[in-house]
Amino acid sequence: MFHPEVFANHEQMSLRAVVEMEQQLRSRPDSLLCLATGTTPMRAYELLQQRFASCRERLATTRIVKLDEWGGIAMDDPESCEQYLQRTWIEPFGMQGRYLSFSSEAADPEDECLRVAGELERQGPIDLCILGLGLNGHVGFNEPAEFLHPHAHVAKLSATSMGHAMSVRARTRPTHGLTLGMADILNARRILLMVSGASKRPVVQRLLSGRIATQFPASLLIANPNTVLLCDEEAFAS
Ligand code: GLP
């Protein structure tokens, strides 16, 4: 069962996430971090960027893997997960050579997922996985379904995902998702699931019910004892 850590607001929750990331980077500078994009972790990434601005060398060996990507949009679309991570991590910390990323424009997305899966097998497991939570309980683009995929795969995007602000604002509509799989995530040494805002209340309640179902992918995270659930008060209805 999750014992959520509840914070007064998004800012406080973000500060807590930064502490977690700093501890990880201090104890193991060459950590492999898996990073979600979206609204929820943005502030934590900004704060981390500020903290490390004067000591970039502390991230000189840190590695990043992109959790997921909108398939069929341009890599240079400002709404791509790619541009988001370039802005928040890769460019500020000069991590170009230490970054494993799905291409949104791969001619063969299945092949692209095989490439990422192979590389993650070589580099993994993930040390710290930062996750957001979809309104339908998805993590990455592991969408509710009868069965889930263990490793990197092409995802059929749900209506919920297609309605996500990044998808709506992108220059072209995504045609599919590319995502790490549930085993990749569950094998992480530590998982930080961040949830913010009143719109996420029903999904947090369902998560706290403790029932594990593939139709609610985030519930599988309960199986990893090293998962920490961070909520702000708006998302956590007691
Ligand atoms: C998106 C992404 C996830 C993200 C989640 C929540 O669709 N696939 O990686 O974490 O939904 O996004 P947000 O934090 O903007 O609510």
Side-chain angles (χ1 to χ4, degrees):
M1 266 304 274
F2 282 128
H3 296 288
E5 293 183 27
V6 184
F7 298 87
N9 51 43
H10 184 247
E11 184 72 11
Q12 295 302 316
M13 181 183 75
S14 303
L15 285 163
R16 169 71 179 86
V18 170
V19 169
E20 186 82 25
M21 287 190 271
E22 278 191 307
Q23 276 170 0
Q24 178 67 40
L25 293 168
R26 202 174 308 125
S27 68
R28 194 172 164 194
D30 67 344
S31 288
L32 178 61
L33 307 183
C34 173
L35 300 176
T37 59
T39 313
T40 312
M42 176 57 100
R43 182 64 183 145
Y45 297 165
E46 283 172 4
L47 290 166
L48 190 108
Q49 215 184 101
Q50 289 167 16
R51 292 263 177 113
F52 281 75
S54 58
C55 49
R56 280 174 40 148
E57 64 284 356
R58 282 171 59 194
L59 281 87
T61 56
T62 307
R63 298 161 298 142
I64 302 286
V65 56
K66 177 165 70 176
L67 172 66
D68 56 3
E69 183 58 273
W70 305 99
I73 73 169
M75 281 289 262
D76 67 359
D77 191 313
E79 299 299 335
S80 64
C81 301
E82 181 65 24
Q83 290 306 310
Y84 179 118
L85 289 183
Q86 288 288 344
R87 287 190 299 266
T88 49
W89 285 84
I90 310 304
E91 285 168 12
F93 298 119
M95 300 177 108
Q96 286 79 4
R98 290 171 281 120
Y99 173 43
L100 175 58
S101 162
F102 294 101
S103 169
S104 60
E105 300 173 288
D108 186 334
E110 304 280 354
D111 266 4
E112 178 64 356
C113 288
L114 283 174
R115 180 187 69 80
V116 170
E119 193 53 39
L120 186 58
E121 200 177 331
R122 274 185 290 282
Q123 290 198 36
I126 292 161
D127 291 296
L128 177 64
C129 185
I130 308 286
L131 296 176
L133 180 60
L135 286 168
N136 63 356
H138 70 227
V139 284
F141 283 128
N142 292 276
E143 299 276 22
E146 190 184 338
F147 61 88
L148 301 174
H149 298 267
H151 301 299
H153 61 280
V154 179
K156 183 175 175 343
L157 294 175
S158 64
T160 306
S161 291
M162 288 299 283
H164 189 279
M166 292 169 83
S167 160
V168 171
R169 290 189 305 239
R171 291 196 296 253
T172 53
R173 299 313 304 280
T175 51
H176 55 278
L178 302 111
T179 184
L180 298 188
M182 284 313 298
D184 298 326
I185 293 169
L186 288 168
N187 283 336
R189 293 197 168 99
R190 192 144 174 91
I191 298 171
L192 215 55
L193 176 60
M194 301 177 69
V195 196
S196 169
S199 66
K200 300 277 173 77
R201 258 185 215 176
V203 74
V204 169
Q205 284 305 297
R206 189 167 173 192
L207 195 56
L208 294 176
S209 77
R211 294 185 184 156
I212 297 176
T214 59
Q215 295 290 350
F216 192 64
S219 66
L220 273 82
L221 300 173
I222 294 168
N224 183 324
N226 297 313
T227 300
V228 180
L229 172 59
L230 305 183
C231 293
D232 62 15
E233 269 175 16
E234 283 196 339
F236 183 78
S238 52

